[in-house]
Amino acid sequence: MPKKVVTGNYAAAYGAMRARTRFVAAYPITPQTFIVEHISEFVNNGEMDCEYVEVESEHSALSACVAASGTGVRSFTATSSQGLVLMHEILPTATGMRLPIVMAVVNRAIAAPINIWVEHNDIMPERDSGWLQVFCDNNQEVQDMVLQAFRIAEDKRVALPMVVNLDAFILSHTVEPVDLTEQADADKFLPKFTPPGHIIDPDDPKGLGVFTPPEFVQESRWQVDKAMRDSVAVIKEVNAAFAKQFGRDHGGMIEPYMVEDAEAILITMGTVSSTAHEVVDELRAQGKKVGLIKLRFWRPYPREELRKIAERVKAVGIYDRSESFGVAGPSFIEFRNAAYGLSVPTVNFIGGLGGRDVSSADIRFMYDRLLETAKTGKVKRDVVWIATRGVEP
C-alpha cells in the first residue's frame, strides 16, 4: 500500500477513483475545486473510467448525479459553501428517491461577509435533508470515508445519499502522509454497485420521484427516517470491516478518548478534534480527569452512545464551529435533546468561525471552564464565544 504526502482534496478524489465511481459531475468552487480537478486528471490519464461531466452550476451538478444514480450508476460530486446552498433544492430529491450518491463537502463559511475559510454553517442547514453526514479530522480519514461512504449508502438497509465533510484549507489544502489504497484492496472492500430495484430501466418502465398525493407522502417520509435510524448498525459494520481489512479503525459513530473515568468531557467535530486530543494528554499528565469525544457522524446522530457517557460525568462541553443564530451552536442543541432528562451541566463553546484558529490555549480554557463546572455543579454561562472581541468568555 503506497504512502504519499497529499492534500485532503487529493485524498477525497483518490477515494472516489478507487471506489470505481462511474459518474462525476464537476463544478468549481474554492476550496473544493481541486477535488474535481484531480478527478479530471485521473480520467485524462486513463486511471479512472467514468463519465466526467462539467456542468453549469452546483445545482446542475447534483441534478446530474440524481439522473445518473437513478439509472444505477455509482455517482460522486463535491462542493463547498455557497455551492452547497445552491444545491439545497436537490438534496432532499436525492433522499426521497433513495439514491446512494456520495458527495465531499469542503466546509467553508457562507457569505456575508465573504470568506473562504472553514466554518460548519454551510452543512448545518442540511442536517434535515436526509443525507448521512460524517466529519473527518485528517486526510487519511477523508480517503477512507469516501470508500466507506459508498458501502454504507449502497447498503439495501440504507439506500440514502451521504456527505463526507472536511475542513476548508486545514485539510483540503494541507498535506499529510496518507496510505493510498490499492485498487485490488478497494475492490475487495467495496463490491460492485448493485442498483436497487427502483432505478430507471427502459426494459422495466416505472416512475421515480413523481408527483405523489397526500395519501402516500407520509409513508415515504417514515421510510427515510427508518433508513436513517437503521444506518447506525450499517455504519458500525462497515467500520469494523474496514478496520479488519486495513488496520485503521476510525471509531464508527463516535471516537471516545479517555472518557472512562473522566469528570469533564468535550465533544468536538472536525479538525479541532486533533488539537483537543493533544490537550487531553497534557491535562491528564497533570492529573486532571478530562476526556474527549470526537463526534464523527452528525447524521445519524449517535444519541444513545453520547447519553451513556454523559450519564457518568460531571460536566459536558460541546464545541461548535457554527451558530444557530439566537439560540446556540447546532451540536449543542442536538446534544441537549439527546441528554434530555439528565442533570449533567452542559456548556456550549463557539469558536473558529470564518477560519479563525482554535489554539491549544483555547481548548485548555474550555477544559478549565468544564472542570470548574464539574466542581461547582453550576454553569457560569451556557453559551461561551471563544476569543471573540468585545464578548466576555
Side-chain angles (χ1 to χ4, degrees), residues 245-271:
Q245 180 176 338
F246 295 98
R248 294 190 295 274
D249 187 342
H250 293 295
M253 299 292 292
I254 63 174
E255 187 176 353
Y257 183 65
M258 295 285 187
V259 300
E260 291 78 8
D261 64 340
E263 295 180 352
I265 60 169
L266 182 66
I267 300 173
T268 58
M269 286 194 295
T271 52

Side-chain angles (χ1 to χ4, degrees), residues 336-351:
R336 282 199 299 187
N337 174 65
Y340 179 76
L342 301 181
S343 58
V344 58
T346 308
V347 183
N348 187 197
F349 300 103
I350 296 173

Side-chain angles (χ1 to χ4, degrees), residues 15-22 47 74 147 151 181-193 242 245-246:
M17 176 180 67
R18 287 296 185 239
R20 292 195 184 276
T21 304
R22 288 293 177 257
E47 300 173 84
R74 185 172 283 163
L147 282 170
R151 182 160 164 174
T181 304
E182 298 281 12
Q183 190 62 66
D185 294 327
D187 292 343
K188 181 181 178 182
F189 173 75
L190 180 63
K192 184 179 178 180
F193 179 33
F242 190 91
Q245 180 176 338
F246 295 98

Side-chain angles (χ1 to χ4, degrees), residues 78-81 84 103-107 122-123 163-167:
T79 192
S80 292
S81 188
L84 182 61
M103 176 165 60
V105 174
V106 182
N107 302 120
D122 59 350
I123 193 63
V163 165
V164 177
N165 291 287
L166 57 151
D167 286 355

Side-chain angles (χ1 to χ4, degrees), residues 66 92-93 96-99 198 200 205-214 216-217 220-221:
V66 165
T93 299
M97 293 169 69
R98 307 299 297 277
L99 300 175
H198 64 268
I200 298 171
K206 60 178 70 71
L208 182 60
V210 297
F211 180 83
T212 305
F216 300 101
V217 171
S220 173
R221 302 291 186 248

Side-chain angles (χ1 to χ4, degrees), residues 101-157:
I101 300 163
V102 172
M103 176 165 60
V105 174
V106 182
N107 302 120
R108 168 194 149 183
I110 297 174
I114 295 172
N115 180 284
I116 62 171
W117 290 276
V118 60
E119 194 171 289
H120 292 162
N121 265 346
D122 59 350
I123 193 63
M124 288 300 150
E126 305 304 341
R127 61 188 177 273
D128 297 326
S129 65
W131 285 59
L132 282 73
Q133 296 184 31
V134 65
F135 279 81
C136 303
D137 79 334
N138 59 71
N139 294 348
Q140 184 71 64
E141 189 175 12
V142 172
Q143 179 214 238
D144 295 351
M145 286 314 302
V146 171
L147 282 170
Q148 289 194 40
F150 278 111
R151 182 160 164 174
I152 294 166
E154 292 171 3
D155 190 289
K156 298 299 189 292
R157 292 167 289 178

